[in-house]
Amino acid sequence: MLHSRETYQPSPSFTQPEMITIILLYLLIALLASVVGSMAGLGGGIIIKPLLDFFNDYDLPTIGVLSAATVLAMATVSLIKLRISKVAIDRKNGFIIAFGSILGGFIGKWIFNFFVLEIGLEQLIGKIQASVLAILLLIIFIYIKFQKNMVTYQMKNKLGILLAGVLLGLIAAFLGIGGGPLNMALLIFFFSMDAKQASINSIYIIFFSQLSSLILVGTTTGFGSYDLSIIWYMILGGSIGGLIGSIFVQKLTSRRIERIFNIVIVIMILINIYNVVKG
């Protein structure tokens, strides 16, 4: 048992005007993050998690659930839309990575729950998340920016693909981001995909990783102790954003998707740096 509902204190209640403002703000965040996340293969969690940390209306565990539910909604709608449009997805390797990310996701979420819910290090873990995320995003930005000058591979070893998925899932679950930019970098580096191919296949992997994250919460701590009053608004924003983003990704060139990816990464690096140094 990771924690009891009696010992965990959910986020404080809000007044009606505050709640209306939060609903509108978070609906907009979910919508815009999911449009960009679906379009650039980021998944949305990389945007939602730091922004919710920035506004600081909810505690860290609740932010993780809100982000995962929104990203899952986005990925589901995006995959349905892409399937109807018959867009090519590398399901064979994608499934192996996804399976590995599910295993890694359980481990990463367990580590997060242990330090935050059992030991009570929420503030420290929040700083660690923002710091690691900023460093990872910087590395990924440099790699994507200069990928044309770097060697890429065509990985065939199934065990290697599985282990890569486990590492992705572990990092993504602990950071609460869904794994989008990590997926993009891995797919480009290990499978020589261009930005457009990687963005599409990244969404496929994200679907399974976020589903496993929510299943873990449901089967361990349960959802009753979290303040999820705005979750359906965020799921709505994620669903609409996934639909819009999946339409854009079919129309945009790989170069434009890469440019959007890089711009978003830079913005999120700055927000994560702020989240580290604030208060």
Side-chain angles (χ1 to χ4, degrees), residues 177-199:
I177 60 171
L182 300 176
N183 295 343
M184 289 282 289
L186 180 143
L187 291 169
I188 291 171
F189 182 74
F190 286 114
F191 300 100
S192 299
M193 294 183 182
D194 60 32
K196 185 170 184 175
Q197 291 174 314
S199 69

PDB file of all heavy atoms in Angstrom, residues 177-199:
ATOM      1  N   ILE A 177       5.698  13.239 -17.516  1.00  0.00           N
ATOM      2  CA  ILE A 177       5.592  13.997 -18.767  1.00  0.00           C
ATOM      3  C   ILE A 177       5.033  13.197 -19.935  1.00  0.00           C
ATOM      4  O   ILE A 177       4.788  13.759 -20.996  1.00  0.00           O
ATOM      5  CB  ILE A 177       6.947  14.576 -19.186  1.00  0.00           C
ATOM      6  CG1 ILE A 177       7.964  13.438 -19.404  1.00  0.00           C
ATOM      7  CG2 ILE A 177       7.453  15.568 -18.149  1.00  0.00           C
ATOM      8  CD1 ILE A 177       9.254  13.882 -20.030  1.00  0.00           C
ATOM      9  N   GLY A 178       4.887  11.883 -19.804  1.00  0.00           N
ATOM     10  CA  GLY A 178       4.369  11.109 -20.927  1.00  0.00           C
ATOM     11  C   GLY A 178       5.427  10.620 -21.880  1.00  0.00           C
ATOM     12  O   GLY A 178       5.192   9.709 -22.658  1.00  0.00           O
ATOM     13  N   GLY A 179       6.618  11.222 -21.877  1.00  0.00           N
ATOM     14  CA  GLY A 179       7.745  10.702 -22.652  1.00  0.00           C
ATOM     15  C   GLY A 179       7.901  11.229 -24.058  1.00  0.00           C
ATOM     16  O   GLY A 179       8.778  10.779 -24.795  1.00  0.00           O
ATOM     17  N   GLY A 180       7.069  12.190 -24.486  1.00  0.00           N
ATOM     18  CA  GLY A 180       7.080  12.652 -25.868  1.00  0.00           C
ATOM     19  C   GLY A 180       8.430  12.996 -26.460  1.00  0.00           C
ATOM     20  O   GLY A 180       8.878  12.371 -27.424  1.00  0.00           O
ATOM     21  N   PRO A 181       9.166  13.979 -25.903  1.00  0.00           N
ATOM     22  CA  PRO A 181      10.450  14.353 -26.487  1.00  0.00           C
ATOM     23  C   PRO A 181      11.487  13.244 -26.406  1.00  0.00           C
ATOM     24  O   PRO A 181      12.338  13.107 -27.281  1.00  0.00           O
ATOM     25  CB  PRO A 181      10.884  15.581 -25.662  1.00  0.00           C
ATOM     26  CG  PRO A 181      10.086  15.509 -24.411  1.00  0.00           C
ATOM     27  CD  PRO A 181       8.799  14.846 -24.769  1.00  0.00           C
ATOM     28  N   LEU A 182      11.430  12.427 -25.331  1.00  0.00           N
ATOM     29  CA  LEU A 182      12.339  11.288 -25.223  1.00  0.00           C
ATOM     30  C   LEU A 182      12.047  10.273 -26.319  1.00  0.00           C
ATOM     31  O   LEU A 182      12.962   9.708 -26.930  1.00  0.00           O
ATOM     32  CB  LEU A 182      12.201  10.637 -23.850  1.00  0.00           C
ATOM     33  CG  LEU A 182      12.504  11.504 -22.632  1.00  0.00           C
ATOM     34  CD1 LEU A 182      12.224  10.734 -21.344  1.00  0.00           C
ATOM     35  CD2 LEU A 182      13.937  11.983 -22.648  1.00  0.00           C
ATOM     36  N   ASN A 183      10.757  10.029 -26.566  1.00  0.00           N
ATOM     37  CA  ASN A 183      10.366   9.125 -27.650  1.00  0.00           C
ATOM     38  C   ASN A 183      10.892   9.622 -28.997  1.00  0.00           C
ATOM     39  O   ASN A 183      11.414   8.852 -29.806  1.00  0.00           O
ATOM     40  CB  ASN A 183       8.842   9.009 -27.736  1.00  0.00           C
ATOM     41  CG  ASN A 183       8.217   8.366 -26.526  1.00  0.00           C
ATOM     42  OD1 ASN A 183       8.901   7.709 -25.746  1.00  0.00           O
ATOM     43  ND2 ASN A 183       6.933   8.563 -26.351  1.00  0.00           N
ATOM     44  N   MET A 184      10.717  10.922 -29.235  1.00  0.00           N
ATOM     45  CA  MET A 184      11.159  11.520 -30.498  1.00  0.00           C
ATOM     46  C   MET A 184      12.655  11.296 -30.712  1.00  0.00           C
ATOM     47  O   MET A 184      13.087  10.857 -31.785  1.00  0.00           O
ATOM     48  CB  MET A 184      10.845  13.015 -30.510  1.00  0.00           C
ATOM     49  CG  MET A 184       9.380  13.360 -30.630  1.00  0.00           C
ATOM     50  SD  MET A 184       8.757  13.205 -32.313  1.00  0.00           S
ATOM     51  CE  MET A 184       9.546  14.609 -33.100  1.00  0.00           C
ATOM     52  N   ALA A 185      13.456  11.601 -29.697  1.00  0.00           N
ATOM     53  CA  ALA A 185      14.908  11.450 -29.812  1.00  0.00           C
ATOM     54  C   ALA A 185      15.293   9.995 -30.048  1.00  0.00           C
ATOM     55  O   ALA A 185      16.151   9.695 -30.895  1.00  0.00           O
ATOM     56  CB  ALA A 185      15.593  11.983 -28.547  1.00  0.00           C
ATOM     57  N   LEU A 186      14.646   9.072 -29.323  1.00  0.00           N
ATOM     58  CA  LEU A 186      14.961   7.652 -29.486  1.00  0.00           C
ATOM     59  C   LEU A 186      14.588   7.156 -30.878  1.00  0.00           C
ATOM     60  O   LEU A 186      15.365   6.436 -31.515  1.00  0.00           O
ATOM     61  CB  LEU A 186      14.226   6.833 -28.422  1.00  0.00           C
ATOM     62  CG  LEU A 186      14.463   5.319 -28.457  1.00  0.00           C
ATOM     63  CD1 LEU A 186      14.523   4.758 -27.035  1.00  0.00           C
ATOM     64  CD2 LEU A 186      13.369   4.575 -29.218  1.00  0.00           C
ATOM     65  N   LEU A 187      13.411   7.522 -31.356  1.00  0.00           N
ATOM     66  CA  LEU A 187      12.951   7.056 -32.667  1.00  0.00           C
ATOM     67  C   LEU A 187      13.832   7.592 -33.797  1.00  0.00           C
ATOM     68  O   LEU A 187      14.093   6.888 -34.777  1.00  0.00           O
ATOM     69  CB  LEU A 187      11.494   7.472 -32.885  1.00  0.00           C
ATOM     70  CG  LEU A 187      10.473   6.765 -31.993  1.00  0.00           C
ATOM     71  CD1 LEU A 187       9.107   7.448 -32.091  1.00  0.00           C
ATOM     72  CD2 LEU A 187      10.349   5.292 -32.357  1.00  0.00           C
ATOM     73  N   ILE A 188      14.288   8.821 -33.651  1.00  0.00           N
ATOM     74  CA  ILE A 188      15.174   9.404 -34.664  1.00  0.00           C
ATOM     75  C   ILE A 188      16.549   8.756 -34.608  1.00  0.00           C
ATOM     76  O   ILE A 188      17.126   8.397 -35.655  1.00  0.00           O
ATOM     77  CB  ILE A 188      15.288  10.934 -34.476  1.00  0.00           C
ATOM     78  CG1 ILE A 188      13.955  11.600 -34.812  1.00  0.00           C
ATOM     79  CG2 ILE A 188      16.403  11.517 -35.341  1.00  0.00           C
ATOM     80  CD1 ILE A 188      13.886  13.072 -34.452  1.00  0.00           C
ATOM     81  N   PHE A 189      17.076   8.572 -33.393  1.00  0.00           N
ATOM     82  CA  PHE A 189      18.431   8.050 -33.239  1.00  0.00           C
ATOM     83  C   PHE A 189      18.534   6.561 -33.568  1.00  0.00           C
ATOM     84  O   PHE A 189      19.421   6.131 -34.299  1.00  0.00           O
ATOM     85  CB  PHE A 189      18.920   8.294 -31.808  1.00  0.00           C
ATOM     86  CG  PHE A 189      20.328   7.837 -31.555  1.00  0.00           C
ATOM     87  CD1 PHE A 189      21.400   8.547 -32.064  1.00  0.00           C
ATOM     88  CD2 PHE A 189      20.584   6.694 -30.799  1.00  0.00           C
ATOM     89  CE1 PHE A 189      22.707   8.127 -31.842  1.00  0.00           C
ATOM     90  CE2 PHE A 189      21.884   6.263 -30.568  1.00  0.00           C
ATOM     91  CZ  PHE A 189      22.947   6.984 -31.084  1.00  0.00           C
ATOM     92  N   PHE A 190      17.615   5.758 -33.018  1.00  0.00           N
ATOM     93  CA  PHE A 190      17.727   4.308 -33.164  1.00  0.00           C
ATOM     94  C   PHE A 190      17.037   3.752 -34.414  1.00  0.00           C
ATOM     95  O   PHE A 190      17.335   2.627 -34.833  1.00  0.00           O
ATOM     96  CB  PHE A 190      17.161   3.605 -31.928  1.00  0.00           C
ATOM     97  CG  PHE A 190      18.052   3.692 -30.728  1.00  0.00           C
ATOM     98  CD1 PHE A 190      17.670   4.390 -29.603  1.00  0.00           C
ATOM     99  CD2 PHE A 190      19.297   3.067 -30.715  1.00  0.00           C
ATOM    100  CE1 PHE A 190      18.491   4.479 -28.486  1.00  0.00           C
ATOM    101  CE2 PHE A 190      20.126   3.146 -29.612  1.00  0.00           C
ATOM    102  CZ  PHE A 190      19.725   3.856 -28.497  1.00  0.00           C
ATOM    103  N   PHE A 191      16.100   4.519 -35.004  1.00  0.00           N
ATOM    104  CA  PHE A 191      15.367   3.997 -36.152  1.00  0.00           C
ATOM    105  C   PHE A 191      15.435   4.897 -37.380  1.00  0.00           C
ATOM    106  O   PHE A 191      14.737   4.660 -38.366  1.00  0.00           O
ATOM    107  CB  PHE A 191      13.900   3.764 -35.760  1.00  0.00           C
ATOM    108  CG  PHE A 191      13.746   2.782 -34.630  1.00  0.00           C
ATOM    109  CD1 PHE A 191      13.533   3.231 -33.337  1.00  0.00           C
ATOM    110  CD2 PHE A 191      13.842   1.421 -34.845  1.00  0.00           C
ATOM    111  CE1 PHE A 191      13.401   2.345 -32.278  1.00  0.00           C
ATOM    112  CE2 PHE A 191      13.714   0.517 -33.799  1.00  0.00           C
ATOM    113  CZ  PHE A 191      13.504   0.978 -32.515  1.00  0.00           C
ATOM    114  N   SER A 192      16.270   5.935 -37.321  1.00  0.00           N
ATOM    115  CA  SER A 192      16.513   6.830 -38.469  1.00  0.00           C
ATOM    116  C   SER A 192      15.226   7.414 -39.043  1.00  0.00           C
ATOM    117  O   SER A 192      15.113   7.600 -40.258  1.00  0.00           O
ATOM    118  CB  SER A 192      17.280   6.083 -39.572  1.00  0.00           C
ATOM    119  OG  SER A 192      18.533   5.644 -39.105  1.00  0.00           O
ATOM    120  N   MET A 193      14.242   7.710 -38.181  1.00  0.00           N
ATOM    121  CA  MET A 193      13.004   8.328 -38.650  1.00  0.00           C
ATOM    122  C   MET A 193      13.210   9.841 -38.796  1.00  0.00           C
ATOM    123  O   MET A 193      14.048  10.431 -38.106  1.00  0.00           O
ATOM    124  CB  MET A 193      11.864   8.087 -37.652  1.00  0.00           C
ATOM    125  CG  MET A 193      11.444   6.644 -37.513  1.00  0.00           C
ATOM    126  SD  MET A 193      10.015   6.492 -36.379  1.00  0.00           S
ATOM    127  CE  MET A 193       9.788   4.709 -36.381  1.00  0.00           C
ATOM    128  N   ASP A 194      12.441  10.443 -39.722  1.00  0.00           N
ATOM    129  CA  ASP A 194      12.441  11.901 -39.755  1.00  0.00           C
ATOM    130  C   ASP A 194      11.466  12.408 -38.692  1.00  0.00           C
ATOM    131  O   ASP A 194      10.787  11.626 -38.022  1.00  0.00           O
ATOM    132  CB  ASP A 194      12.097  12.445 -41.147  1.00  0.00           C
ATOM    133  CG  ASP A 194      10.720  12.012 -41.638  1.00  0.00           C
ATOM    134  OD1 ASP A 194       9.804  11.832 -40.802  1.00  0.00           O
ATOM    135  OD2 ASP A 194      10.526  11.859 -42.858  1.00  0.00           O
ATOM    136  N   ALA A 195      11.405  13.735 -38.530  1.00  0.00           N
ATOM    137  CA  ALA A 195      10.597  14.309 -37.444  1.00  0.00           C
ATOM    138  C   ALA A 195       9.121  13.942 -37.567  1.00  0.00           C
ATOM    139  O   ALA A 195       8.451  13.693 -36.561  1.00  0.00           O
ATOM    140  CB  ALA A 195      10.766  15.827 -37.425  1.00  0.00           C
ATOM    141  N   LYS A 196       8.610  13.902 -38.793  1.00  0.00           N
ATOM    142  CA  LYS A 196       7.188  13.598 -38.990  1.00  0.00           C
ATOM    143  C   LYS A 196       6.888  12.144 -38.637  1.00  0.00           C
ATOM    144  O   LYS A 196       5.912  11.867 -37.929  1.00  0.00           O
ATOM    145  CB  LYS A 196       6.791  13.889 -40.431  1.00  0.00           C
ATOM    146  CG  LYS A 196       5.294  13.714 -40.704  1.00  0.00           C
ATOM    147  CD  LYS A 196       4.916  14.240 -42.066  1.00  0.00           C
ATOM    148  CE  LYS A 196       3.408  14.157 -42.295  1.00  0.00           C
ATOM    149  NZ  LYS A 196       3.003  14.773 -43.580  1.00  0.00           N
ATOM    150  N   GLN A 197       7.716  11.221 -39.104  1.00  0.00           N
ATOM    151  CA  GLN A 197       7.524   9.804 -38.773  1.00  0.00           C
ATOM    152  C   GLN A 197       7.639   9.583 -37.265  1.00  0.00           C
ATOM    153  O   GLN A 197       6.846   8.858 -36.670  1.00  0.00           O
ATOM    154  CB  GLN A 197       8.574   8.956 -39.491  1.00  0.00           C
ATOM    155  CG  GLN A 197       8.416   8.868 -40.990  1.00  0.00           C
ATOM    156  CD  GLN A 197       9.586   8.134 -41.643  1.00  0.00           C
ATOM    157  OE1 GLN A 197      10.752   8.391 -41.330  1.00  0.00           O
ATOM    158  NE2 GLN A 197       9.283   7.207 -42.533  1.00  0.00           N
ATOM    159  N   ALA A 198       8.635  10.220 -36.659  1.00  0.00           N
ATOM    160  CA  ALA A 198       8.850  10.055 -35.218  1.00  0.00           C
ATOM    161  C   ALA A 198       7.681  10.606 -34.412  1.00  0.00           C
ATOM    162  O   ALA A 198       7.275  10.016 -33.414  1.00  0.00           O
ATOM    163  CB  ALA A 198      10.153  10.748 -34.802  1.00  0.00           C
ATOM    164  N   SER A 199       7.120  11.738 -34.848  1.00  0.00           N
ATOM    165  CA  SER A 199       5.998  12.340 -34.107  1.00  0.00           C
ATOM    166  C   SER A 199       4.782  11.429 -34.110  1.00  0.00           C
ATOM    167  O   SER A 199       4.108  11.274 -33.091  1.00  0.00           O
ATOM    168  CB  SER A 199       5.639  13.706 -34.703  1.00  0.00           C
ATOM    169  OG  SER A 199       5.068  13.581 -35.987  1.00  0.00           O
TER     170      SER A 199
END
